[in-house]
């Protein structure tokens, strides 16, 4: 018979003592939470000071007509945002940005996946091969673009090689139909090495027991990749696509150095239009409104990608 009794409503008995260590557990939980906040605080403060506060200033400037040369800083309310709705240059540049991002996404992710699969075969020379494709990642963007500016010039290296085979190369950056794809290819080779390494890490983290079990059951290599390897890589694919999309939407240096938005407006992406509006036309208020539009477009695309992850990313519930 138990010696411990509980006080029942309307009845006798001695009260049950509190569970030992209850107060200590709560105190430790509060200490853990405080320590966590100490470690999170620098990142949180940085995000507020370097992200949220500047964005607030951009929104504030977008509500004004700001002409630095004349010292004009006049409240106009939503006039700049209303102007966006009827500005064909803005929507044209936004369409060009989507085209650039789509091309870059497809080429970069596909090439990075193919290179990672090749490197995962552990063939001779893979270290040199990996270094060759990863080295552009650590090269300055400006230096990389300047090198390619020489290579794709009308009398540059690529057309020189084509000329040895009797082929007259095009003017890659002055042809409206070739300029945007050319810039995309240059950007692909600049960043594909990082995505290749991420995919390679994901490939090497796939449990070999699962692949071996599938082979024992008679599955071919393509079926193993499609049914086992690829689904387990989907978290990395999500990461790569989101990073590539963000990088493509705010591309600037290659456009500025290679084409300056031309020929015509064929490579005028929205980030370059923002720069030209602010620093060439000196219309900082309207440029701020364009910046706010770009922010919400990128935020919307990121939210769309994140919200659909449960449909195709492994282990997302």
């Amino acid at each position: 018979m138990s010696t411990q009794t509980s006080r029942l409503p309307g009845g006798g008995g001695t009260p049950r003592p509190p569970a030992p260590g209850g107060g200590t557990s709560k105190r430790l939980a509060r200490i853990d939470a405080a320590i966590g906040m100490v470690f999170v605080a620098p990142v949180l403060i940085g995000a507020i000071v370097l992200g949220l506060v500047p964005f607030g200033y951009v929104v504030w400037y977008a509500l004004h007509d700001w002409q630095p040369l004349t010292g004009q800083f006049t409240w106009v309310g939503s006039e700049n945002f209303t102007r966006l709705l009827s500005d064909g240059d803005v929507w044209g540049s936004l369409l060009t940005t989507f085209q650039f991002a789509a091309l870059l996404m497809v080429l970069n992710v596909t090439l990075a996946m193919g290179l990672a699969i090749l490197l995962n075969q552990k063939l001779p020379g893979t270290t040199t091969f990996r270094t060759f494709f990863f080295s552009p990642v650590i090269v300055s963007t400006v230096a990389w673009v300047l090198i390619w500016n020489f290579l794709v010039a009308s009398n540059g290296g690529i057309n020189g090689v084509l000329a040895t085979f009797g082929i007259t190369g095009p003017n890659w950056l002055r042809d409206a139909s070739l300029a945007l794809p050319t810039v995309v290819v240059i950007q692909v080779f600049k960043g594909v090495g990082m995505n290749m390494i991420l995919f390679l890490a994901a490939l090497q983290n796939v449990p070999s027991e699962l692949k071996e079990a599938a082979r024992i059951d008679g599955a071919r290599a393509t079926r193993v990749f499609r049914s086992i390897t690829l689904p387990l890589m989907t978290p990395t694919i999500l990461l790569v696509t989101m990073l590539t999309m963000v990088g493509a939407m705010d591309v600037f240096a290659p456009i500025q150095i290679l084409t300056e938005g031309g020929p015509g407006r064929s490579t005028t992406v929205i980030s370059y239009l923002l720069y030209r509006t602010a620093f060439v036309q000196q219309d900082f208020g309207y440029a701020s409104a364009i910046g706010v539009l770009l922010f919400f477009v990128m935020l919307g695309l990121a939210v769309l990608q994140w919200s659909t992850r449960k449909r195709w990313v492994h282990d997302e519930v």
Side-chain angles (χ1 to χ4, degrees):
M1 184 174 180
S2 175
T3 59
Q4 182 178 0
T5 60
S6 300
R7 185 182 300 278
L8 299 177
T14 59
R16 177 178 297 175
T24 304
S25 298
K26 291 180 180 179
R27 186 167 60 255
L28 290 176
R30 287 195 296 268
I31 294 174
D32 287 343
I35 294 174
M37 287 302 299
V38 169
F39 283 104
V40 171
V43 178
L44 184 61
I45 294 172
I48 294 173
V49 174
L50 301 178
L52 189 60
V53 172
F55 179 71
Y57 272 106
V58 171
V59 175
W60 175 250
Y61 293 148
L63 299 174
H64 292 77
D65 179 17
W66 182 19
Q67 304 290 339
L69 294 180
T70 62
Q72 181 179 355
F73 192 73
T74 307
W75 172 270
V76 295
S78 61
E79 183 178 316
N80 284 324
F81 294 102
T82 304
R83 179 180 165 188
L84 284 174
L85 300 177
S86 58
D87 192 338
D89 289 343
V90 170
W91 299 108
S93 64
L94 195 58
L95 177 60
T96 302
T97 305
F98 285 140
Q99 293 172 342
F100 181 89
L103 284 172
L104 185 69
M105 184 90 68
V106 171
L107 291 177
N108 198 319
V109 174
T110 303
L111 181 59
M113 179 69 76
L115 292 173
I117 293 172
L118 186 61
L119 288 175
N120 199 42
Q121 305 305 311
K122 297 180 176 60
L123 300 174
T126 53
T127 302
T128 303
F129 187 79
R130 186 185 326 180
T131 304
F132 175 78
F133 276 96
F134 185 78
S135 56
V137 175
I138 61 177
V139 175
S140 165
T141 300
V142 173
W144 176 258
V145 172
L146 287 174
I147 293 171
W148 275 94
N149 192 28
F150 164 73
L151 292 176
V152 299
S154 58
N155 57 348
I158 292 178
N159 284 350
V161 173
L162 293 176
T164 61
F165 296 97
I167 302 173
T168 302
N171 197 337
W172 300 96
L173 298 176
R174 296 296 176 263
D175 188 326
S177 62
L178 293 176
L180 189 67
T182 300
V183 178
V184 168
V185 170
I186 293 172
Q187 279 295 95
V188 165
F189 283 111
K190 176 69 173 72
V192 71
M194 178 60 72
N195 293 341
M196 175 191 71
I197 295 299
L198 292 174
F199 282 142
L200 180 61
L203 280 170
Q204 294 176 347
N205 282 332
V206 175
S208 58
E209 307 84 38
L210 296 179
K211 295 187 288 186
E212 185 63 29
R215 294 190 189 99
I216 293 174
D217 287 342
R220 296 184 177 181
T222 54
R223 180 60 185 273
V224 172
F225 180 79
R226 187 176 67 250
S227 300
I228 296 177
T229 305
L230 194 59
L232 293 177
M233 290 181 64
T234 48
T236 304
I237 295 174
L238 175 65
L239 171 66
V240 167
T241 53
M242 292 189 71
L243 292 177
T244 304
M245 183 272 297
V246 171
M249 291 297 294
D250 64 356
V251 63
F252 173 75
I255 301 296
Q256 166 68 11
I257 296 172
L258 294 172
T259 66
E260 294 184 347
R265 296 185 179 276
S266 59
T267 60
T268 302
V269 293
I270 193 165
S271 58
Y272 183 74
L273 179 67
L274 188 158
Y275 158 79
R276 193 171 61 194
T277 303
F279 297 101
V280 178
Q281 301 174 4
Q282 297 291 310
D283 191 351
F284 281 84
Y286 188 53
S288 299
I290 296 175
V292 173
L293 173 65
L294 177 59
F295 170 80
F296 281 107
V297 168
M298 294 175 65
L299 178 63
L301 291 174
V303 170
L304 179 63
Q305 285 183 289
W306 186 253
S307 62
T308 59
R309 74 190 190 282
K310 294 182 180 180
R311 302 180 183 178
W312 60 279
V313 177
H314 182 70
D315 278 347
E316 288 286 346
V317 293

